[in-house]
Amino acid sequence: MPANETAPPVKKKGRRARLIVLVLVLALFAGLGYGAYWSVDGVRASFPQTTGSLKVPGLTGTVDVKRDAHGIPQLYADNDADLFRAQGFVHAQDRFWEMDVRRHMTSGRLSEMFGAGQVETDAFLRTLGWRQVAQAEYDNKLSPETKKNLQSYADGVNAYLKGKSGKDLSVEHAALKLSDDYQPEQWSPVDSVAWLKAMAWDLRGNMQDEIDRALMSSKLTQAQIDELYPPYPFDRNKPVVDGGKIEGGKYVPQGTGGSGSGSAMGSQASTATGGGNGTGLAGNATAQGAAVGLRTQLTSLAKTLDEIPAILGPNGSGIGSNSWVISGRYTTTGKPLLANDPHLSPQLPSVWYQMGLHCRTASAQCQYNVSGYTFSGMPGVIIGHNADIAWGMTNLGADVTDLYLEQVKPEGYVYDNRVIPFATRDEVIKVAGGASKKMTVRITNNGPLVSDRSDELASVGSRAPVASSAPDRGNGYAVALRWTALEPGKSMDAVFKLNKAKDFNEFRKAAADFEVPSQNLIYADGSGINGNIGYQAPGRIPVRGAGDGRMPAPGWDSKYAWKTDKAGNVEYIAQNELPYESNPSRGYIVTANQAVVESGTGAGKYPYLLTTDWGYGARSQRINDLIEAKIKDSGKISTDDMRAMQMDNSSEIAALLTPMLAKIEVSDPDVRSAQKLLEGWNYTQENDSAAAAYFNAVWRNILKLAFGDKMPKELRIEGSCMNVRADSSGPIDELAELVRECGTRGDDSAQPDGGDRWFEVVRRLSKDEKSPWWSAPKKGFSQPATTTRDELFARAMEDARWELTAKLGKDQSTWSWGRLHQLTLKNQTIGTEGPGFMQWLLNRGPWNLGGGEATVNATGWNASSGYGVTWVPSMRMVVNLNDLDKSRWINLTGASGHAYNAHYTDQTTMWAKGELLDWPFGKDAVDKATVDTLTLKP
């Protein structure tokens, strides 16, 4: 999971004047223009007070804030209200800029802060309506206790804001104050709830795959598309659970319960492909031009999605997480060990904030004693442990989104041969330094029309009139989004229930409310002889009608709608029927975005379809293998063994391809010398490895030659241009009938991205040395056309040699994977696209990293765009259930969101080395680690 987060990049358009002001302000603050006064008064004015005492309105008693040497706070209070009020206050002390930008993003109000360049992003987010859904959750779904905690948290944030000017909050706020008189508004409980929608957006499942498959249909056959999306390799990579059945309306793990399946099955319909017409549309279109209309709409939608802030990370094959838990019978402590490292976008500050929330004395008025990773802007702990249990999360990847092509008319949209009027919602986007923008959101029974938010749609078919307040959406067709997160739910309740759970039953009850995003939840406690371990798959997962969610569906046909009950409510898989495990006989549980369970109708198979787009299990199986090898070798696993597993850099695709590459005859002496780097290499991607650098360059060029150049332009990296026939979309090398065609996809979502889906594609195709995928046109006079696997591999080896010569120099002794594979931490607003001077002030790095795509140490990169790090283990933790004070943790950056604060990036170098910090929990351990104490008083 928490495969999402922080503020979005600010676009350049229409903001040059604001950026100039920001540059001047930051120059003053850095002491570059007006001396030391500005350096101290400007930069340090927003640093939090961490010692002494402060008065906080609303508190009923004192709260102690004890910070360790890394600024990580542990809070102690006498009642829940004071505890969460203090949490809001402390979050705001360290991270209010992050919180403020985030709440503007979730409500579609970035333009109020950053000007006209954010209008299109705001319009799309308003169309999704996160803020409206969050408000409905708060009003109608959440428990009174949750609402009370949310209000207490908001009161604490507002207590911090009271009487503060821009420079007192952050350097960034100071700049906005000087340029536009921007004044932060009061925090509300709904601001916190809306953050869950942003988290769910980045963990939404297979929406990008759905778009990509449909766009591929303009250039590839259905058989070719299927080769690029192979089935999950259940014969090789273990799912999370070994198997089970549904009996009497409940999931029964393998080896328990009675006989018979006893369950009505969810839809298992296979994907229809439009009768082979290459539309990429599930089911036959009922109107002329639907196929072209779909591709036109999806091309535009894909461009729009590239502009939406990826809060937690790129929504591709790499985003996910690792977590595993081992029974005490296989640990050196005799109690369970639990590890977790969510893979998210690298951001500055990190998406996570480490914190402990402690009641001085447990009572009905003070119920919490919990520590772990929090989200700034939300109360409670998301991942961590309390005094009784520990839990971790990874993205389950359930298919909870569907795109529908809608046939529209002047008066509405078509559904079962009837025209139904749109539901509409009017929105006004306020723009800093400019006029407000009005827009109308149109909503079908399959969700809002997300394609309304683009002004780049080409004309298709006869033009369908639209209201003057709605943008042109293409003639006759539009795309709607059905998504479980657009229905109000109770996920915020689940956070507080998890924080208080004392055993597996209470843990499962909390999971039942964790509706979106759908996560793999792992569990451990220290009770009994060896403790207990467990797993639960929660989430609101729809039961589909026709189709399986792999392709956009025809919205005009009710057969493809999500199933509903007699009252019209969507049918979701019942929580009691979702897979879980408790103390499995193997003694451990691994979740790393692999298949949860094998679906189907056979014995031991799960009767509902959760998704067909799992991760392919490269990381999960490596973790399984490491655990089994350690148990076989010594019988016991230590905390340090868990840490070492988290840093495992072994490459599955290197182990497969390197023996093949080593056998290829190479005549060029420079290429041959590079090939020799692979001899004796153990396939680990350490940051100082020249062999890893060369292999990954070869892998990238294999993907480009075999697949990238055969992709439609909508999936190729922006700016990658090639010659194609005027009457065909395929690459050619003749000099006649040429047109220049350039890619349009953004860096994070371009294909092939090189994730473990591509591992599986190449694994299967490598057995066929003459597959058409191995064909590539000749290039100039030196590189003839390829027709076989080894010919293409040889060319990739040559291309990789000259690519690394250009990037790293001709001398191979200076090559290293880390020089290619670098992490730069960027401030997620003005540090991403602002002038170089601002980036220099706010950003940090680079760090040379090991690891790579689909390794356990998942420092991901997109092979289409380069070698730079695009997602990372955003934190790492190992919880020791025998002695919680001997647990260990680390964050990607640090506690502070203030540039130049000592805790801005003080954990990053340790994180890069794989080191972990002590994680004190008990009062004595916390007191021993405390270096600063701040007392908050009524």
Side-chain angles (χ1 to χ4, degrees):
M1 157 187 131
N4 191 241
E5 190 186 318
T6 308
V10 177
K11 301 177 184 176
K12 297 178 183 177
K13 182 180 178 182
R15 304 188 324 283
R16 182 163 300 277
R18 295 171 61 77
L19 294 179
I20 290 172
V21 171
L22 222 48
V23 169
L24 294 175
V25 170
L26 292 176
L28 294 176
F29 287 170
L32 298 179
Y34 289 85
Y37 170 78
W38 282 104
S39 176
V40 173
D41 187 59
V43 174
R44 296 184 180 178
S46 58
F47 288 7
Q49 178 179 335
T50 59
T51 61
S53 63
L54 283 172
K55 289 186 177 181
V56 177
L59 288 177
T60 60
T62 61
V63 179
D64 292 324
V65 181
K66 301 182 178 184
R67 296 177 184 261
D68 67 9
H70 290 90
I72 299 169
Q74 305 284 338
L75 278 54
Y76 290 84
D78 293 320
N79 59 71
D80 294 344
D82 282 355
L83 192 61
F84 292 116
R85 189 173 286 111
Q87 185 182 19
F89 186 91
V90 172
H91 273 166
Q93 276 190 308
D94 281 329
R95 299 283 192 94
F96 186 69
W97 170 254
E98 175 191 13
M99 294 165 61
D100 200 18
V101 173
R102 185 181 298 155
R103 68 163 162 183
H104 279 79
M105 188 270 292
T106 56
S107 4
R109 296 171 52 210
L110 288 169
S111 300
E112 294 179 23
M113 298 182 77
F114 303 113
Q118 291 298 317
V119 168
E120 289 184 12
T121 296
D122 283 345
F124 186 83
L125 296 172
R126 296 281 186 103
T127 299
L128 296 180
W130 292 349
R131 180 73 184 194
Q132 284 80 7
V133 178
Q135 186 70 58
E137 288 183 356
Y138 184 79
D139 291 342
N140 306 314
K141 290 289 186 178
L142 299 181
S143 71
E145 181 181 344
T146 294
K147 294 169 75 169
K148 179 182 176 182
N149 292 342
L150 287 164
Q151 186 61 60
S152 295
Y153 181 90
D155 290 343
V157 176
N158 293 328
Y160 176 74
L161 294 178
K162 187 176 181 180
K164 288 185 169 59
S165 63
K167 74 174 184 178
D168 298 323
L169 297 172
S170 71
V171 167
E172 297 94 334
H173 278 111
L176 286 175
K177 173 73 173 178
L178 288 176
S179 58
D180 283 321
D181 199 29
Y182 174 79
Q183 184 65 40
E185 63 194 43
Q186 294 281 288
W187 193 266
S188 79
V190 180
D191 291 333
S192 297
V193 179
W195 169 233
L196 284 170
K197 299 304 164 187
M199 190 171 96
W201 174 251
D202 281 2
L203 302 172
R204 62 192 178 273
N206 75 337
M207 180 175 165
Q208 191 67 58
D209 287 329
E210 195 173 333
I211 292 172
D212 289 355
R213 278 190 289 260
L215 292 174
M216 285 179 186
S217 66
S218 69
K219 194 167 185 178
L220 303 176
T221 67
Q222 188 60 47
Q224 289 173 318
I225 294 172
D226 290 343
E227 285 186 299
L228 301 185
Y229 288 88
Y232 185 88
F234 284 99
D235 59 333
R236 192 175 68 255
N237 295 342
K238 296 178 182 178
V240 175
V241 300
D242 287 336
K245 56 192 173 184
I246 295 177
E247 191 171 83
K250 294 183 178 180
Y251 182 83
V252 181
Q254 188 178 59
T256 61
S259 61
S261 61
S263 172
M265 290 186 183
S267 169
Q268 297 296 319
S270 61
T271 303
T273 60
N277 62 4
T279 65
L281 182 67
N284 291 318
T286 61
Q288 184 70 27
V292 182
L294 177 66
R295 288 197 296 271
T296 302
Q297 297 284 355
L298 291 182
T299 298
S300 184
L301 177 59
K303 291 179 182 178
T304 301
L305 293 178
D306 276 342
E307 299 297 326
I308 302 304
I311 306 167
L312 294 179
N315 194 265
S317 64
I319 193 168
S321 305
N322 299 324
S323 70
W324 64 94
V325 60
I326 300 175
S327 167
R329 75 176 190 265
Y330 290 131
T331 68
T332 58
T333 67
K335 298 292 184 180
L337 294 173
L338 184 151
N340 196 189
D341 55 284
H343 305 157
L344 309 175
S345 177
Q347 298 171 11
L348 185 59
S350 164
V351 60
W352 300 110
Y353 185 98
Q354 296 150 289
M355 178 179 273
L357 302 172
H358 308 278
C359 288
R360 294 190 181 100
T361 303
S363 67
Q365 289 73 41
C366 205
Q367 308 171 74
Y368 294 88
N369 187 20
V370 60
S371 182
Y373 294 86
T374 71
F375 285 142
S376 301
M378 270 181 57
V381 170
I382 306 301
I383 294 175
H385 69 81
N386 58 32
D388 299 298
I389 76 166
W391 67 95
M393 298 184 188
T394 65
N395 197 23
L396 192 151
D399 187 356
V400 296
T401 60
D402 278 335
L403 294 171
Y404 287 88
L405 181 65
E406 303 288 350
Q407 186 179 5
V408 298
K409 302 288 185 180
E411 62 274 22
Y413 60 98
V414 177
Y415 189 72
D416 282 348
N417 298 314
R418 294 181 296 124
V419 179
I420 300 176
F422 293 107
T424 60
R425 185 177 72 246
D426 292 328
E427 298 275 1
V428 177
I429 300 173
K430 297 179 181 179
V431 181
S436 297
K437 306 292 184 182
K438 295 182 179 180
M439 58 173 280
T440 298
V441 178
R442 300 186 300 167
I443 305 167
T444 73
N445 58 2
N446 289 317
L449 294 186
V450 289
S451 56
D452 270 359
R453 300 285 73 86
S454 173
D455 57 4
E456 299 175 354
L457 301 179
S459 297
V460 180
S462 59
R463 179 167 297 276
V466 296
S468 58
S469 60
D472 178 35
R473 70 208 173 283
N475 301 307
Y477 296 96
V479 176
L481 171 65
R482 193 75 187 261
W483 181 28
T484 56
L486 298 184
E487 295 293 329
K490 298 185 292 182
S491 293
M492 199 70 234
D493 283 347
V495 173
F496 296 110
K497 289 182 179 180
L498 275 176
N499 286 192
K500 295 187 296 181
K502 295 183 180 299
D503 55 34
F504 191 56
N505 287 332
E506 291 186 9
F507 168 82
R508 292 191 68 208
K509 289 179 181 177
D513 287 336
F514 210 103
E515 297 166 328
V516 289
S518 184
Q519 299 294 293
N520 294 305
L521 294 176
I522 61 168
Y523 167 93
D525 69 46
S527 64
I529 297 175
N530 297 126
N532 299 287
I533 64 174
Y535 163 82
Q536 177 67 60
R540 185 189 285 164
I541 303 170
V543 178
R544 288 175 172 80
D548 60 7
R550 286 176 59 84
M551 290 283 193
W556 50 81
D557 189 340
S558 61
K559 290 187 302 184
Y560 291 88
W562 290 1
K563 289 188 175 181
T564 57
D565 59 23
K566 293 181 180 179
N569 300 312
V570 173
E571 292 184 13
Y572 300 107
I573 301 174
Q575 179 67 28
N576 284 339
E577 296 183 333
L578 287 171
Y580 79 95
E581 277 190 325
S582 177
N583 294 322
S585 59
R586 64 183 177 277
Y588 62 89
I589 300 170
V590 174
T591 81
N593 317 115
Q594 79 272 39
V596 170
V597 66
E598 187 172 5
S599 297
T601 57
K605 294 186 177 181
Y606 186 66
Y608 291 106
L609 181 65
L610 299 178
T611 186
T612 60
D613 288 309
W614 304 110
Y616 280 79
R619 282 181 288 109
S620 63
Q621 193 56 44
R622 176 63 177 171
I623 297 168
N624 273 288
D625 292 344
L626 290 170
I627 293 171
E628 291 177 0
K630 191 67 180 178
I631 291 174
K632 184 178 181 180
D633 178 51
S634 66
K636 300 294 181 180
I637 294 172
S638 68
T639 299
D640 197 58
D641 291 331
M642 301 284 275
R643 182 204 64 80
M645 291 177 192
Q646 289 179 323
M647 293 303 295
D648 183 78
N649 288 328
S650 179
S651 169
E652 178 188 271
I653 194 63
L656 173 70
L657 296 185
T658 298
M660 301 180 194
L661 297 172
K663 294 177 181 178
I664 295 174
E665 293 188 9
V666 175
S667 58
D668 187 309
D670 289 315
V671 180
R672 173 62 185 140
S673 67
Q675 184 186 35
K676 286 183 177 181
L677 292 172
L678 303 179
E679 295 177 2
W681 180 44
N682 64 358
Y683 319 131
T684 60
Q685 301 170 110
E686 304 299 335
N687 65 2
D688 60 354
S689 171
Y694 182 59
F695 173 79
N696 281 309
V698 174
W699 170 237
R700 180 176 184 238
N701 280 280
I702 287 173
L703 292 171
K704 178 180 183 295
L705 292 168
F707 310 105
D709 290 346
K710 300 178 179 71
M711 292 284 171
K713 66 180 185 297
E714 294 86 358
L715 272 68
R716 296 203 312 271
I717 189 74
E718 186 175 2
S720 65
C721 300
M722 57 193 299
N723 293 327
V724 301
R725 287 190 186 277
D727 59 351
S728 170
S729 56
I732 64 167
D733 53 293
E734 290 85 352
L735 298 178
E737 304 179 52
L738 296 181
V739 294
R740 195 71 169 159
E741 183 186 79
C742 297
T744 62
R745 187 60 71 85
D747 289 356
D748 289 340
S749 58
Q751 294 293 333
D753 62 17
D756 67 353
R757 172 167 66 88
W758 292 100
F759 289 14
E760 192 65 20
V761 169
V762 172
R763 179 188 297 277
R764 290 167 177 261
L765 291 176
S766 65
K767 301 172 184 177
D768 181 2
E769 296 188 21
K770 296 184 178 181
S771 167
W773 290 105
W774 304 130
S775 64
K778 70 181 182 181
K779 182 179 179 182
F781 297 101
S782 62
Q783 292 185 322
T786 68
T787 58
T788 68
R789 181 196 69 193
D790 286 355
E791 288 174 352
L792 186 138
F793 282 11
R795 183 158 155 187
M797 291 170 69
E798 179 182 353
D799 289 350
R801 173 43 158 132
W802 301 121
E803 180 186 1
L804 294 197
T805 297
K807 291 179 180 296
L808 303 179
K810 188 174 183 179
D811 184 358
Q812 293 172 190
S813 67
T814 68
W815 290 4
S816 69
W817 175 225
R819 287 181 62 199
L820 285 175
H821 192 52
Q822 293 186 324
L823 168 67
T824 298
L825 293 172
K826 297 184 177 182
N827 177 288
Q828 289 299 293
T829 50
I830 57 180
T832 54
E833 294 188 25
F837 176 70
M838 293 165 60
Q839 295 185 31
W840 176 79
L841 284 171
L842 297 177
N843 299 343
R844 299 292 182 270
W847 284 265
N848 295 350
L849 300 186
E853 189 65 41
T855 62
V856 181
N857 182 22
T859 56
W861 54 287
N862 187 307
S864 287
S865 58
Y867 304 97
V869 176
T870 57
W871 51 74
V872 294
S874 57
M875 62 79 158
R876 299 186 185 100
M877 75 176 194
V878 179
V879 182
N880 182 335
L881 274 299
N882 182 59
D883 185 346
L884 292 170
D885 288 330
K886 292 183 179 178
S887 301
R888 310 273 287 166
W889 62 353
I890 198 76
N891 203 353
L892 173 63
T893 60
S896 180
H898 300 287
Y900 300 101
N901 185 280
H903 306 305
Y904 192 46
T905 57
D906 61 332
Q907 297 184 52
T908 307
T909 297
M910 291 180 288
W911 170 91
K913 294 177 180 179
E915 298 174 1
L916 298 174
L917 299 172
D918 291 336
W919 183 355
F921 179 70
K923 187 176 184 304
D924 289 345
V926 169
D927 287 344
K928 184 177 179 180
T930 297
V931 297
D932 287 333
T933 299
L934 174 68
T935 301
L936 305 180
K937 298 181 176 181

